[in-house]
Amino acid sequence: TIPEQELGLFNSGWTVGRKILLIFVFITSGVFGASCLGAITKRFGALCMSETITARKATVVFLSFAVFPNPISFQHAMGIILFFGAL
């Protein structure tokens, strides 16, 4: 909160060096991911690349429900059923 920051009680732990390192890692992983997608497209075609991206996104969503204590609503359950039904 603002009073904590004014009193110097708030410490985020993010130094300038850590921020620069995080940005570097983010950029490097993005370039690596784009390179991998290009290689998948070149070797197996656009359909396989599209399926890979969809599976990766679905895995991230499912892991977020498994790792973090998010409640699963009826809409979430229906979305999961529709996703697997479309495969």
Side-chain angles (χ1 to χ4, degrees):
T1 63
I2 292 176
E4 289 175 339
Q5 290 178 350
E6 290 173 349
L7 294 173
L9 300 175
F10 181 75
N11 183 9
S12 68
W14 288 97
T15 62
V16 174
R18 286 183 74 185
K19 289 177 185 177
I20 291 172
L21 178 65
L22 182 66
I23 290 171
F24 177 75
V25 169
F26 185 73
I27 290 170
T28 304
S29 63
V31 170
F32 180 71
S35 176
C36 289
L37 287 177
I40 291 172
T41 305
K42 183 178 180 180
R43 183 167 180 178
F44 300 107
L47 179 63
C48 185
M49 186 266 305
S50 177
E51 290 174 352
T52 302
I53 291 174
T54 303
R56 182 191 60 83
K57 289 178 182 179
T59 302
V60 169
V61 171
F62 293 140
L63 283 176
S64 73
F65 279 110
V67 173
F68 301 108
N70 296 328
I72 297 177
S73 68
F74 176 73
Q75 287 87 3
H76 291 119
M78 289 305 297
I80 291 169
I81 292 169
L82 287 173
F83 175 79
F84 281 114
L87 291 178

